[in-house]
Amino acid sequence: MGLSPSPPGPKGHFLLGVLPEIQKDELDFLGRLVRDYGDVVKVRVVNHPAYVLSHPLDIERVLHTESGNFIKSVFLRESKALFGNGLLTSEGPFWLRQRLMLQPAFHHDHLLAHAEAMVDSTERMLSTWQDGQTRDAHADMTALTLEIIARVLFGDDMAADANEATQAFGVFFNQFDDRFGLYLIPEWLPTPNNLRYRKSIGRLDAIVERVIRKRRSNPATWRSGHDILSSLLATSEDSEHDADGGAGMTETQLRDEMMTLFFTGHETTGLALAWTWYLVGQNPEAEQKLFEEVDRVLGGRAPQPADLPQLRFTEMVVKESLRLYPPAYGVVREAVKDCEIGGYPIPAGATLAMFQWTVHRDPRYFERPNDFVPERWTPEFTRSLPRCAYFPFGAGPRVCIGNAFAMTETVLITAAIARKFQLQLVPGHPVTINPSLTLRPRKGVRVVLKRRS
């Protein structure tokens, strides 16, 4: 039996394709695509054809078993101004070399050492919280995770620049959203949005490069340091003369990797925590179970890495939050050569989009798919899932290098906060979703703090 000629899909606007529907309500549109057309859907965004894949077996082929035929897409390359040629955007042997150089920094032993910074920063944040205060959980969790990743990456060298980095990232996201919404406007045009976008990246560049220069100028600080910048500098001595693939990193490579880790190491974890408190605040039974476990395991003290195996329900809460509100809610690839997916021919150069947002809510794999049910995450249920029915950190060789770091951080922070405070959602405050580079709450997650006795 031959291949079907082309997957089904919406016709869309004669000029813009499905772009107007994406701009109107992207997440609702994605859900309708799966319901109306199935597991492989062909769409057109302006003049660019794309294929939306929603079956775990098809996604596994792209991200895992045949990953060599699929590279990062043109949509992600739009963000190269920030990430350069770091892990998120690089390809081929260069990417593999960089991945192998960075992997030791995320080894289990290093992760446990960094857990102290995670808890210490959280406890210092909590010491500033007051009973009855109204706060934005998204803003607080983002500021906290930025402080943590800055300490893990740069030691104490970033402390003076943390506020400026937070502001620059905020401008970057606002302008990225505008640029994505105005898809037809190229980056090189000197529009006000594009100028603000470039300026925010320039501010971040200046911060990261200043810290790298300061550390490199004093070898004693990085030869004895335990942060990731120190470990990379230790393997990158004389890297200015090593652009042909030797043991170290050039100045540019070091900047790109540190910027990539700086961004991804705080943005997605901050969002995971914000959406966790949003969901817990809507589900009193799950909230009570969380409090009971934290009280029983911690006994009134701050959490430690040794507590993680006992914080089982806390981990379930985090996993369920990542299912319903995956911060990185879509994965996009580009086919290198002609191939076949789901019985349809896919031409070289085609864009393939796979959305955790829809796959994680598929009733074929998740009962009550739109409900917050942490208890579903038993070991038996996890083993029963197809490999790519749940992939909040991606899958295959390019799975997020910091996935274990992020899970450890999110569980420890959730436990530390739940030990001291209940976060009650502000009645009437609209929490709406802004799907862009990540899945952000458009107007924050407003909460009232209630100190737990």
Side-chain angles (χ1 to χ4, degrees):
M1 182 179 297
L3 298 179
S4 301
S6 183
K11 185 177 180 180
H13 185 272
F14 77 97
L15 177 63
L16 301 176
V18 299
L19 183 61
E21 295 185 81
I22 293 174
Q23 292 175 324
K24 181 180 179 181
D25 189 336
E26 179 181 353
L27 300 180
D28 177 71
F29 173 64
L30 293 174
R32 286 189 283 113
L33 280 185
V34 177
R35 289 193 302 270
D36 296 346
Y37 299 102
D39 288 328
V40 183
V41 184
K42 185 175 182 180
V43 298
R44 181 174 54 86
V45 183
V46 191
N47 60 351
H48 192 92
Y51 300 81
V52 179
L53 311 182
S54 300
H55 196 285
L57 291 179
D58 295 335
I59 296 170
E60 182 179 359
R61 284 186 60 191
V62 174
L63 299 183
H64 189 74
T65 54
E66 299 176 21
S67 60
N69 189 42
F70 303 96
I71 60 174
K72 293 300 182 79
S73 80
V74 65
F75 295 102
L76 185 59
R77 295 200 291 272
E78 276 284 292
S79 58
K80 270 209 170 188
L82 179 66
F83 302 125
N85 208 28
L87 278 186
L88 198 62
T89 53
S90 58
E91 295 290 348
F94 178 84
W95 165 81
L96 179 60
R97 173 178 174 270
Q98 296 296 97
R99 175 94 182 199
L100 293 174
M101 287 187 67
L102 286 163
Q103 192 69 59
F106 294 91
H107 188 272
H108 179 70
D109 293 341
H110 290 284
L111 178 59
L112 296 181
H114 296 320
E116 181 179 346
M118 299 172 186
V119 176
D120 176 66
S121 292
T122 306
E123 292 295 314
R124 285 197 285 111
M125 177 193 72
L126 294 175
S127 70
T128 69
W129 284 11
Q130 297 177 9
D131 187 42
Q133 241 182 346
T134 299
R135 303 191 66 96
D136 178 0
H138 176 224
D140 282 345
M141 297 302 100
T142 300
L144 172 61
T145 54
L146 187 143
E147 177 185 320
I148 291 169
I149 196 61
R151 291 177 65 180
V152 168
L153 291 176
F154 305 107
D156 295 328
D157 289 344
M158 182 67 77
D161 299 302
N163 288 336
E164 184 181 357
T166 300
Q167 294 170 8
F169 274 124
V171 174
F172 167 82
F173 266 104
N174 290 338
Q175 304 314 315
F176 185 92
D177 290 347
D178 290 342
R179 290 188 62 254
F180 185 79
L182 300 170
Y183 183 77
L184 295 174
I185 298 180
E187 183 181 338
W188 55 263
L189 271 179
T191 65
N193 283 341
N194 279 348
L195 292 174
R196 285 190 291 266
Y197 177 75
R198 288 184 221 155
K199 185 176 179 181
S200 69
I201 294 174
R203 291 172 66 189
L204 291 166
D205 269 338
I207 293 170
V208 171
E209 290 170 3
R210 184 164 62 243
V211 174
I212 293 174
R213 282 197 306 271
K214 177 182 175 183
R215 186 72 64 84
R216 188 184 284 282
S217 68
N218 189 356
T221 61
W222 50 262
R223 286 180 181 140
S224 60
H226 300 288
D227 52 79
I228 292 177
L229 177 57
S230 292
S231 66
L232 291 180
L233 285 170
T235 59
S236 299
E237 220 169 347
D238 300 322
S239 60
E240 294 88 346
H241 310 291
D242 188 46
D244 59 352
M249 289 190 192
T250 65
E251 288 288 337
T252 300
Q253 291 162 10
L254 190 60
R255 174 268 175 209
D256 292 349
E257 299 302 353
M258 296 305 286
M259 185 67 81
T260 298
L261 294 174
F262 191 30
F263 174 84
T264 58
H266 88 276
E267 167 67 13
T268 53
T269 310
L271 284 170
L273 286 159
W275 289 122
T276 295
W277 292 118
Y278 173 66
L279 290 164
V280 168
Q282 293 178 306
N283 292 272
E285 290 186 10
E287 181 183 62
Q288 188 57 37
K289 284 186 178 182
L290 174 65
F291 290 155
E292 289 172 356
E293 177 178 85
V294 166
D295 294 345
R296 183 181 70 255
V297 174
L298 302 183
R301 58 171 173 78
Q304 303 168 0
D307 299 318
L308 290 170
Q310 283 74 50
L311 293 170
R312 288 289 302 120
F313 187 73
T314 309
E315 182 183 9
M316 290 178 175
V317 165
V318 171
K319 285 184 174 180
E320 184 71 346
S321 172
L322 290 171
R323 183 184 72 83
L324 286 170
Y325 291 90
Y329 68 102
V331 181
V332 186
R333 294 288 187 267
E334 185 178 298
V336 177
K337 296 184 289 188
D338 293 350
C339 60
E340 172 269 322
I341 297 287
Y344 297 101
I346 306 295
T351 294
L352 301 168
M354 298 143 282
F355 292 96
Q356 290 97 327
W357 174 263
T358 53
V359 179
H360 287 186
R361 294 167 180 257
D362 193 322
R364 291 176 292 183
Y365 316 111
F366 302 97
E367 292 185 12
R368 298 167 57 193
N370 295 313
D371 293 344
F372 182 65
V373 188
E375 296 84 356
R376 76 171 83 239
W377 290 102
T378 63
E380 295 75 21
F381 173 75
T382 302
R383 287 193 295 268
S384 73
L385 282 176
R387 175 179 290 185
C388 287
Y390 179 74
F391 57 116
F393 299 102
R398 299 197 69 142
V399 68
C400 173
I401 194 172
N403 58 350
F405 181 100
M407 278 300 298
T408 297
E409 182 180 16
T410 310
V411 171
L412 288 175
I413 292 174
T414 300
I417 294 174
R419 179 174 75 93
K420 292 186 175 181
F421 286 96
Q422 178 188 29
L423 277 61
Q424 297 180 342
L425 297 176
V426 171
H429 173 70
V431 178
T432 56
I433 306 172
N434 178 24
S436 178
L437 192 57
T438 52
L439 203 66
R440 306 185 113 214
R442 197 178 303 275
K443 296 182 179 180
V445 179
R446 303 289 291 174
V447 297
V448 177
L449 305 180
K450 296 295 182 183
R451 186 176 292 279
R452 299 188 60 225
S453 59

